[in-house]
Amino acid sequence: MPGMMAFRFGPVLALLLLTAACAPTAPELRPDTPGEDPALAAATALSQAGQHAEAARAYLALVQQRPDQAALLRILAAEAWLEAGDDTAAAESLRNIDTTSLELSERARLDLARAELAMMRGRLANAGWLLAASAEHLTPELTERHAELERRLARLEAQPARASVNALLEAIDSGHFEPEMSLALLIEHPLAELETTLLDVAGHTEAMPWFDLVISAREVLLDDDRLGEALAAWQRRWPDAAFDAAAARRWIAAWRQTRPLPERIAVMLPDRNSPLHAPGQAVREGLLAGWLALPPTRRPRLEFHALPAAEGAVIPVWFDARETGADFLIGPLDRRHVNTLWAMPDAGLIPTLLLNRPDRTDDLPFGSLNTLALPPEEEAEMLAIEALATGHRRAVILAQYSDWGERVARAFSETFTLGGGTVVEDRIYDPAASDHSYLLRDALQIDRSEARIARLQRVIGELEAVEQRRTDIDLIFLAARASDGRQIRPQLNFFGAADITVMAPSYIVDGAPEPGRDGDLDGIVTPLPPWFIDTTAAGALRQRALTLFPELDNATLSRLHALGRDAMALVPWLDLMQADPALYLPGMLGRLNLADGVHIQRQVRPVQIRSGRAQPWP
């Protein structure tokens, strides 16, 4: 498809034109370097003559001859590769540079090369932090280059979808249009920006099928099941379009494989002496499973770093990962280590996906730090929103007497009341007790019903009456785990609350529901992740994985395994997700998106446990 190929190389050509304006100058040699160096002068002359690839090879050939200048020569080679438009070779030249041998001005030069590479790969936030970090140590020769890179970054950040739409309209008007162009030009723009821009050009009737195609695909871009449905619906709306749903899906599948991945990912997980070693191993197995799911040619190099539990131990491990050339970090899992990295001024210079939330989530980090975690409070908030959306307004909360139970109950209560609901009772129970009848009788006001019956009997004598529960509530929220839930739910039924909606976090089920074990949970509504629902694609994957990963029998470790799979799946999409809050990834643990640009949020549709199985709700 020649039209498609032309548009694939178009952005590269534009980048080459932009980089030509900020070409680096020849290096300023150190005082101990001979002023006249024929080999270095020859390499510089090649670069100035526009023979950038040849110049890069010439610089690299000097590395062995001049080991004292090896780091600077690698930077010069990277600059030449960037001029040649070869980001892969540039990244290779920048790898394993010993920054301790660099003067401050040379370190600034390195940061400028890394910033240019980040821009070429679409990592604009990372480029911005690198430019900021290098600003204090610029020599006169680097000042102009730094300013041009900042101007280039501003142009890239301000590039509107309108320019791509105009290019599409020009192609249609010129008669050189091919359907793939609509996807190639527009698919990476944020959905909201596309919708706003396309409203302004709604009068171009010839372009309407292609605008509709882009919007239809962009809404569910990473969701295979819904993408197929959306493209089929598009084809039904435009049956005469010179393109079909199958061709569009093939193009999108091929485009996904062009998304850049880091070349070297450092993974920081607890060492053998840490109390979190077993959870860390479950995450590790999930990461490896996600890594193996990638095509062999696209698999990054994974380097696992053992992280001691000691306070502050993450700092030397982080520096080691940085100095050995990692261009992406995953971890740590321990919240204390997450807090340490969150507070480090330059931790975000390496794009990082933290596997827990810091204590202070209101302080925005410096650089590119994102979090992926499984806080149970998040599920409580989801259930509160779902309860309000389905018309529930008055709730009783029954919470386990523990820090976990208190946090979950508080998250539900705050969200529910903020949305207009009322918590009429808020009770705690002892998880060590097996009989909660006294608590439930009081919370459901069964004892008040009995007292009324007793008073009537004293007045009118013999009376046939059955005590009744309170009727002023329509919801019970259980901040409970599986063992508690299997005791409390039958007792609620016994006291006449079988018809009241009961909601609980997914921890109310010990992994995937089992009919022989979870019949006592019938009726409970919970946001169970797809990983634990056998009828989903994620659930089928879990069932197949059970033979390879024994820890999946443990619900907690199984969640962490799924967390590792989701972490690996997110890596190529974080840049696009940061720019577009509407873009989501259907993960093992739910629908994942970056609504605030920092914390990965999960959206999980609640299910209802019926006969020990997960069924749609409502």
Side-chain angles (χ1 to χ4, degrees):
M1 291 181 281
M4 186 169 105
M5 293 301 293
F7 273 83
R8 281 187 182 171
F9 286 105
V12 176
L13 178 60
L15 273 174
L16 291 175
L17 292 173
L18 281 170
T19 54
C22 55
T25 58
E28 181 180 330
L29 300 179
R30 297 180 184 177
D32 60 349
T33 303
E36 293 295 332
D37 186 318
L40 184 61
T44 303
L46 285 171
S47 183
Q48 293 173 342
Q51 300 179 51
H52 303 299
E54 292 80 357
R57 296 188 185 97
Y59 286 129
L60 291 174
L62 294 173
V63 169
Q64 299 300 323
Q65 302 172 25
R66 299 178 60 175
D68 60 320
Q69 295 289 301
L72 179 57
L73 288 167
R74 289 183 183 278
I75 297 171
L76 295 173
E79 291 175 343
W81 285 124
L82 290 168
E83 288 289 327
D86 192 336
D87 63 321
T88 301
E92 182 64 31
S93 296
L94 293 174
R95 183 173 292 121
N96 296 330
I97 289 180
D98 179 11
T99 57
T100 61
S101 68
L102 295 177
E103 294 182 354
L104 289 177
S105 62
E106 293 169 341
R107 180 58 187 265
R109 190 170 197 134
L110 172 62
D111 285 341
L112 291 183
R114 286 174 170 170
E116 189 171 353
L117 177 63
M119 279 187 269
M120 184 173 286
R121 292 183 165 183
R123 296 172 182 167
L124 303 187
N126 202 29
W129 299 123
L130 287 164
L131 290 175
S134 64
E136 294 183 5
H137 305 292
L138 297 173
T139 62
E141 65 163 325
L142 294 179
T143 300
E144 183 178 349
R145 182 166 178 239
H146 181 273
E148 179 53 40
L149 285 173
E150 284 199 318
R151 289 191 290 270
R152 177 181 165 193
L153 178 61
R155 288 195 296 270
L156 290 172
E157 289 177 331
Q159 184 179 13
R162 174 57 72 89
S164 297
V165 170
N166 289 343
L168 178 63
L169 293 174
E170 289 174 8
I172 291 174
D173 292 340
S174 68
H176 298 297
F177 170 76
E178 294 190 16
E180 296 93 339
M181 290 181 183
S182 59
L183 294 168
L185 284 167
L186 301 176
I187 199 67
E188 293 192 24
H189 289 289
L191 180 61
E193 188 178 332
L194 283 173
E195 290 174 336
T196 300
T197 304
L198 295 183
L199 281 175
D200 296 337
V201 294
H204 293 75
T205 55
E206 291 184 2
M208 285 302 102
W210 313 114
F211 293 158
D212 187 14
L213 171 63
V214 172
I215 294 294
S216 298
R218 195 63 175 73
E219 287 177 336
V220 289
L221 186 59
L222 308 180
D223 192 334
D224 284 331
D225 292 338
R226 296 186 64 197
L227 178 62
E229 297 171 1
L231 293 176
W234 169 82
Q235 186 171 342
R236 289 193 295 271
R237 289 193 297 273
W238 306 97
D240 298 327
F243 204 49
D244 60 24
R249 190 158 191 174
R250 286 194 299 271
W251 190 96
I252 292 171
W255 169 79
R256 287 181 185 174
Q257 297 305 310
T258 67
R259 288 297 304 167
L261 276 164
E263 294 184 11
R264 181 178 295 187
I265 297 178
V267 183
M268 300 183 290
L269 292 174
D271 69 5
R272 292 183 178 276
N273 298 318
S274 169
L276 292 177
H277 177 64
Q281 288 301 104
V283 172
R284 182 181 187 276
E285 297 298 337
L287 284 167
L288 288 172
W291 180 82
L292 287 170
L294 294 169
T297 57
R298 282 178 53 76
R299 292 172 185 164
R301 179 175 176 178
L302 289 183
E303 297 175 347
F304 290 91
H305 295 255
L307 190 56
E311 191 82 28
V314 69
I315 295 177
V317 175
W318 183 89
F319 275 102
D320 181 54
R322 179 180 178 181
E323 297 305 319
T324 54
D327 50 3
F328 197 93
L329 296 178
I330 296 177
L333 192 60
D334 189 318
R335 177 168 283 192
R336 295 174 308 151
H337 294 327
V338 168
N339 287 334
T340 300
L341 282 187
W342 194 263
M344 279 180 59
D346 56 352
L349 289 178
I350 307 175
T352 301
L353 182 59
L354 303 168
L355 298 180
N356 208 329
R357 296 269 176 89
D359 289 328
R360 291 287 304 275
T361 58
D362 54 334
D363 295 333
L364 292 180
F366 179 88
S368 182
L369 289 181
N370 295 114
T371 70
L372 175 64
L374 298 172
E377 298 95 324
E378 191 173 69
E379 293 190 358
E381 293 166 357
M382 280 190 277
L383 285 172
I385 294 169
E386 186 70 22
L388 293 166
T390 50
H392 298 84
R393 291 294 181 270
R394 296 178 63 82
V396 166
I397 295 177
L398 303 176
Q400 180 188 90
Y401 181 54
S402 66
D403 175 67
W404 181 91
E406 180 184 352
R407 289 186 289 111
V408 171
R410 183 170 59 248
F412 177 87
S413 178
E414 290 176 354
T415 305
F416 189 66
T417 54
L418 186 64
T422 301
V423 176
V424 298
E425 293 277 358
D426 188 351
R427 302 298 184 89
I428 59 173
Y429 68 88
D430 182 359
S434 58
D435 184 1
H436 304 286
S437 58
Y438 179 81
L439 169 73
L440 298 180
R441 289 171 67 88
D442 186 41
L444 295 173
Q445 296 185 354
I446 302 295
D447 52 349
R448 297 188 188 182
S449 176
E450 290 176 337
R452 286 194 297 271
I453 293 172
R455 286 197 300 270
L456 286 172
Q457 286 179 334
R458 286 195 298 270
V459 173
I460 65 176
E462 193 68 29
L463 174 69
E464 288 190 16
V466 178
E467 62 271 16
Q468 299 290 322
R469 64 160 177 86
R470 65 191 308 161
T471 58
D472 62 339
I473 60 172
D474 54 19
L475 176 68
I476 296 172
F477 177 74
L478 287 181
R481 296 181 182 272
S483 57
D484 303 338
R486 287 194 287 266
Q487 295 173 354
I488 294 175
R489 178 58 185 173
Q491 293 180 44
L492 284 172
N493 293 346
F494 177 78
F495 289 118
D499 59 333
I500 299 179
T501 300
V502 179
M503 291 184 167
S506 64
Y507 299 84
I508 199 74
V509 185
D510 195 17
E514 297 179 8
R517 181 195 65 192
D518 297 321
D520 286 339
L521 298 177
D522 273 12
I524 290 181
V525 175
T526 183
L528 201 62
W531 180 251
F532 287 129
I533 302 177
D534 292 343
T535 55
T536 65
L541 185 61
R542 187 199 85 258
Q543 290 176 303
R544 292 196 298 271
L546 275 167
T547 58
L548 299 174
F549 303 103
E551 76 272 10
L552 298 187
D553 282 335
N554 179 291
T556 298
L557 297 182
S558 188
R559 285 177 191 272
L560 292 169
H561 178 102
L563 181 74
R565 286 180 182 259
D566 279 350
M568 184 58 65
L570 281 165
V571 170
W573 302 109
L574 285 174
D575 287 339
L576 279 183
M577 293 172 78
Q578 285 174 338
D580 187 359
L583 181 63
Y584 71 89
L585 178 75
M588 302 293 110
L589 294 168
R591 182 182 292 187
L592 310 175
N593 73 313
L594 261 174
D596 64 358
V598 177
H599 305 294
I600 302 291
Q601 295 183 349
R602 291 192 305 134
Q603 299 178 42
V604 186
R605 285 291 303 161
V607 298
Q608 189 171 48
I609 307 301
R610 299 177 191 160
S611 302
R613 298 186 185 278
Q615 302 292 338
W617 187 87

